[in-house]
Amino acid sequence: MLLVEDLVKNYGSHEALKGISFHLEEGQIVGLLGQNGAGKSTTMNIITGYLSATSGTVKIQGIDLLEQPKKAKKLLGYLPEQPPLYEKMTVREYLQFVGELKGLKKNEAKQEATEVMEKTNLLEREQMLIKHLSKGYKQRVGLAQALVGNPPILILDEPMVGLDPNQIIEIRELIRSLAGKHTIMISSHILSEIETICDHIIILDEGTVVAKNETKRLELEHSNPKQLRLVVKGNKKEIHKILRESELVKRYNLVSEVEPGVYEFQVVSAKEDIRDDLFLLFAQNQMIVYSINVEQLSLEEVFIKLTGKEEEE
Amino acid sequence: MIAIYKRELKAYFTSMQAYIYLALFVCITGVFFSVANIGYGYNDFASYVLSNFYYMIFIYAIAIPILTMRLFAEEKKHKTDQLLLTAPVSVWEIVLGKFLACATIFLIGLAIITVFPIIIAANGELPIANTLSGYIGMILFSFSMIAVGTLISALTEEPVIAVIVSAVFGILTLFSKLLVSLVPEGIVPTFVFCGIIIIAITVLFYFDTKKPLVSAVAFLAGCGITAGLYFWKKEWFMYGLTSSLNWLSLEKRYEEFLNGIVNLSSVVYLLSVTAICLFIATQVIEKRRWR
């Protein structure tokens, strides 16, 4: 659907992208994550043809963006970081203009404008000047603009930035409603924002792809099988003794008393998977194990681990 | 391209710019018409109104710079260029659409003031050939000035800077005959002139590429070509400076039209200036993507 190969972009001597490759399958919703300055906007600007890459190729449904830019751009809808709105036009005028810009005839553009306004709940504001709209509505007009012409691929650059929590939920719902009909790529530097919508995630750091996978796999992949969460019922002292004396356990510490007589421990094992052995060990001592889990990192923790920095926001 | 042309034309009218421009244009033309054609009773509209120096200053150093300033500078400022450049249209279509919208506004003004020569024709004898060639000259000259303004607008992000630079260019163009007459003839001034041009090109080259070696090579190549020309055609350096400057002068070409001469080489020259400026504007925008 969308193939990006070995993309390099230099701004003077600064290397913004250092060889990025990935591809999007039809119908996927992919999150492009990274801190500010990691290269998200640059990547998106190159994919949509606003900037040219220093080297590398972008292919949209097999069409090379450099060789057939017009044909390739027809397949894309783009919402840049700052929505490209003409403030002195009304919502309808603007969307109709975008339709004609994308090669629709006047009547088609009119119809298309009505359709995207329906999808984005803008019909009640169609005659308002864009400069009089609130930020959330402007963002919606930006999204509507990307939808004009029903392009199979949508590229959305930080669609939720600067919106209040209610507006974020609205836009998120809107994007979710588009899933299935479009292949969507969303960039963000706030994980929680896109974790729930995206089924795949690509993490960028300093111009390189540091991870790409399904959202769930990414969490699993970066989990450490040697770190376990153990919940066990029994005498506190005895549990301590067993854990201390066992060769299976390298380190452990008590996390909390979950309920009276039930304790949660964090255990670092001495070798690979010790879950079976640990269970038997407690069983032999007549103690009941409620659960043993491999400790999973949340996406947030994966992100911090990979980029080596705390999030800015 | 048509979508961009239509939007741009509409924007002129929604921002009041077109109304203010047209009102002022008709009003000022009317003043000159009243004084020269009605007051003094001259029947020649082209030589007494269209070629009046103050009238030309108003059009080419004030009106056209204001009409062209926002064409690209504003798009960049509001990031709407992202919409145009990621849409399935090519850059030359964008440039041409904008240029034609501005040219249309100018032509509307020109159409309105045709009322004045008609008044003359109704009440006396209008030198038709002279008036026609004046109109043709004005259209061609203003097209090249609009193209220059478009290019300047594409070069900067600030509409204010665009308007100032275009106005300065307009004034320099209108004074070019006077400026050329101040240039001394001879070998030394010619060399100084060539030197200034070579240095200017080298500096531009350096700022563009940031490569000292390439700029140095360009500088040496410029010097080499100048020296070569000197040994090959010495007479060019003795008498060529003012005549080539005069040949380049837009104003000189314009004057011919106002005096009733439609010279094919001038038509071609003014059209080429228009085309070249629009072409460079396309390249400037195209090139920004590679930075």
Side-chain angles (χ1 to χ4, degrees):
Chain A
M1 198 75 187
L2 173 69
L3 180 75
V4 170
E5 246 172 10
D6 221 10
L7 223 51
V8 175
K9 177 72 181 175
N10 298 334
Y11 292 115
S13 59
H14 171 68
E15 281 184 302
L17 298 181
K18 301 167 187 165
I20 281 181
S21 306
F22 57 81
H23 73 280
L24 268 59
E25 303 282 350
E26 196 172 339
Q28 281 181 344
I29 304 188
V30 177
L32 186 63
L33 275 175
Q35 315 218 287
N36 293 331
K40 291 168 299 196
S41 290
T42 306
T43 308
M44 290 187 150
N45 277 334
I46 292 173
I47 294 173
T48 52
Y50 180 62
L51 290 176
S52 293
T54 309
S55 68
T57 47
V58 175
K59 277 186 185 166
I60 298 151
Q61 291 189 337
I63 300 165
D64 194 300
L65 183 67
L66 267 187
E67 284 165 16
Q68 291 172 288
K70 269 195 190 182
K71 225 172 159 187
K73 283 175 184 175
K74 267 208 167 133
L75 302 169
L76 287 172
Y78 180 35
L79 169 63
E81 208 171 344
Q82 188 183 334
L85 307 174
Y86 289 103
E87 304 238 304
K88 285 172 188 162
M89 292 174 110
T90 65
V91 175
R92 172 168 281 283
E93 272 174 351
Y94 173 71
L95 292 173
Q96 240 166 275
F97 162 66
V98 174
E100 284 178 45
L101 192 65
K102 289 185 178 178
L104 299 178
K105 295 206 181 72
K106 201 175 173 184
N107 284 336
E108 293 171 343
K110 222 174 195 172
Q111 212 180 337
E112 186 68 20
T114 313
E115 260 168 51
V116 294
M117 280 192 284
E118 239 164 56
K119 277 186 204 162
T120 49
N121 279 328
L122 280 167
L123 272 175
E124 62 207 70
R125 315 257 155 153
E126 64 170 327
Q127 294 306 337
M128 265 177 88
L129 284 183
I130 290 174
K131 66 174 169 187
H132 293 148
L133 293 177
S134 70
K135 183 140 193 182
Y137 269 102
K138 279 185 186 168
Q139 198 72 19
R140 264 199 243 180
V141 179
L143 195 58
Q145 162 274 122
L147 288 172
V148 170
N150 204 17
I153 301 174
L154 294 177
I155 308 279
L156 313 173
D157 196 354
E158 307 241 4
M160 293 159 219
V161 89
L163 300 181
D164 66 37
N166 279 333
Q167 294 169 329
I168 290 183
I169 293 170
E170 266 175 41
I171 293 276
R172 193 187 288 159
E173 288 305 312
L174 194 55
I175 293 171
R176 202 174 278 150
S177 73
L178 298 171
K181 293 163 230 155
H182 305 265
T183 305
I184 305 175
M185 184 171 210
I186 306 172
S187 81
S188 178
H189 62 281
I190 300 168
L191 277 160
S192 49
E193 223 176 57
I194 57 172
E195 203 173 4
T196 51
I197 337 176
C198 299
D199 39 36
H200 282 71
I201 286 202
I202 297 169
I203 300 181
L204 283 186
D205 188 39
E206 291 179 357
T208 50
V209 174
V210 288
K212 51 182 166 184
N213 213 327
E214 285 173 43
T215 313
K216 280 196 187 125
R217 285 251 179 97
L218 207 57
E219 288 172 350
L220 271 180
E221 221 174 63
H222 291 273
S223 301
N224 186 350
K226 286 186 173 180
Q227 272 198 28
L228 304 175
R229 287 265 163 175
L230 170 73
V231 179
V232 64
K233 184 178 169 188
N235 184 298
K236 196 168 151 187
K237 270 188 189 162
E238 273 180 58
I239 303 171
H240 268 293
K241 191 169 167 250
I242 293 169
L243 286 173
R244 204 181 320 129
E245 288 172 0
S246 168
E247 285 171 6
L248 300 169
V249 177
K250 195 171 158 194
R251 260 184 297 123
Y252 74 93
N253 59 298
L254 179 66
V255 178
S256 63
E257 188 172 359
V258 188
E259 47 188 280
V262 181
Y263 301 94
E264 188 183 352
F265 288 88
Q266 192 180 34
V267 178
V268 180
S269 63
K271 47 179 197 174
E272 289 301 316
D273 211 346
I274 60 162
R275 283 176 295 179
D276 296 6
D277 297 334
L278 206 59
F279 177 82
L280 290 173
L281 184 68
F282 281 103
Q284 277 163 12
N285 286 288
Q286 307 269 320
M287 270 181 254
I288 297 154
V289 172
Y290 280 16
S291 69
I292 308 178
N293 291 317
V294 173
E295 209 168 43
Q296 265 189 32
L297 291 175
S298 73
L299 202 53
E300 196 113 23
E301 288 162 313
V302 174
F303 183 71
I304 292 167
K305 192 176 146 198
L306 285 171
T307 59
K309 289 162 233 163
E310 294 277 331
E311 268 193 273
E312 278 161 43
E313 279 182 35
Chain B
M1 188 194 86
I2 294 163
I4 291 168
Y5 170 75
K6 276 187 347 201
R7 196 208 77 78
E8 212 58 54
L9 203 58
K10 231 183 194 171
Y12 273 120
F13 285 101
T14 48
S15 70
M16 300 296 291
Q17 234 188 345
Y19 298 109
I20 295 171
Y21 162 73
L22 290 174
L24 271 178
F25 180 63
V26 174
C27 171
I28 288 178
T29 314
V31 169
F32 283 101
F33 169 76
S34 311
V35 173
N37 298 120
I38 295 181
Y40 288 100
Y42 297 125
N43 66 346
D44 192 346
F45 185 68
S47 351
Y48 288 98
V49 177
L50 300 185
S51 64
N52 186 297
F53 193 68
Y54 298 105
Y55 185 71
M56 293 204 286
I57 290 267
F58 164 73
I59 296 174
Y60 302 113
I62 299 171
I64 287 185
I66 291 174
L67 282 181
T68 54
M69 68 176 178
R70 35 161 294 280
L71 286 179
F72 284 102
E74 213 172 56
E75 301 266 5
K76 256 179 285 163
K77 218 175 165 185
H78 293 123
K79 306 245 171 172
T80 41
D81 60 329
Q82 270 185 321
L83 174 69
L84 301 182
L85 291 172
T86 59
V89 286
S90 43
V91 177
W92 68 262
E93 286 177 279
I94 301 173
V95 173
L96 201 63
K98 282 172 177 283
F99 168 79
L100 288 178
C102 188
T104 304
I105 297 286
F106 188 82
L107 291 178
I108 291 174
L110 218 51
I112 298 174
I113 63 160
T114 314
V115 116
F116 299 121
I118 290 174
I119 292 173
I120 298 175
N123 295 292
E125 212 172 296
L126 179 77
I128 290 176
N130 219 5
T131 312
L132 267 183
S133 87
Y135 264 80
I136 294 171
M138 203 161 166
I139 290 170
L140 292 173
F141 186 61
S142 59
F143 276 16
S144 53
M145 295 302 273
I146 291 170
V148 169
T150 309
L151 169 61
I152 291 168
S153 180
L155 283 169
T156 170
E157 214 162 293
E158 291 296 329
V160 180
I161 295 177
V163 80
I164 292 170
V165 176
S166 306
V168 168
F169 185 84
I171 290 169
L172 284 181
T173 308
L174 293 179
F175 278 103
S176 63
K177 208 167 67 176
L178 181 74
L179 291 174
V180 170
S181 73
L182 294 175
V183 173
E185 192 70 274
I187 292 176
V188 178
T190 311
F191 266 112
V192 171
F193 186 77
C194 291
I196 291 171
I197 288 180
I198 292 169
I199 289 168
I201 290 174
T202 311
V203 169
L204 270 182
F205 221 78
Y206 177 70
F207 278 114
D208 202 45
T209 60
K210 299 270 182 231
K211 284 177 184 149
L213 191 71
V214 180
S215 316
V217 170
F219 178 76
L220 291 176
C223 294
I225 291 170
T226 314
L229 279 177
Y230 177 71
F231 288 114
W232 185 44
K233 292 264 180 184
K234 214 171 195 168
E235 65 273 17
W236 284 4
F237 282 76
M238 283 154 124
Y239 317 109
L241 187 56
T242 46
S243 55
S244 43
L245 284 178
N246 266 329
W247 188 85
L248 283 172
S249 164
L250 285 169
E251 186 210 1
K252 186 99 185 186
R253 306 277 176 173
Y254 185 28
E255 232 172 32
E256 292 176 359
F257 286 103
L258 297 173
N259 293 327
I261 305 162
V262 179
N263 184 342
L264 186 66
S265 86
S266 297
V267 174
V268 172
Y269 178 72
L270 288 172
L271 286 178
S272 319
V273 169
T274 310
I276 287 168
C277 285
L278 293 181
F279 174 75
I280 297 173
T282 311
Q283 294 305 307
V284 165
I285 293 162
E286 196 74 69
K287 199 167 168 279
R288 200 168 298 124
R289 298 177 170 197
W290 293 94
R291 284 180 193 257

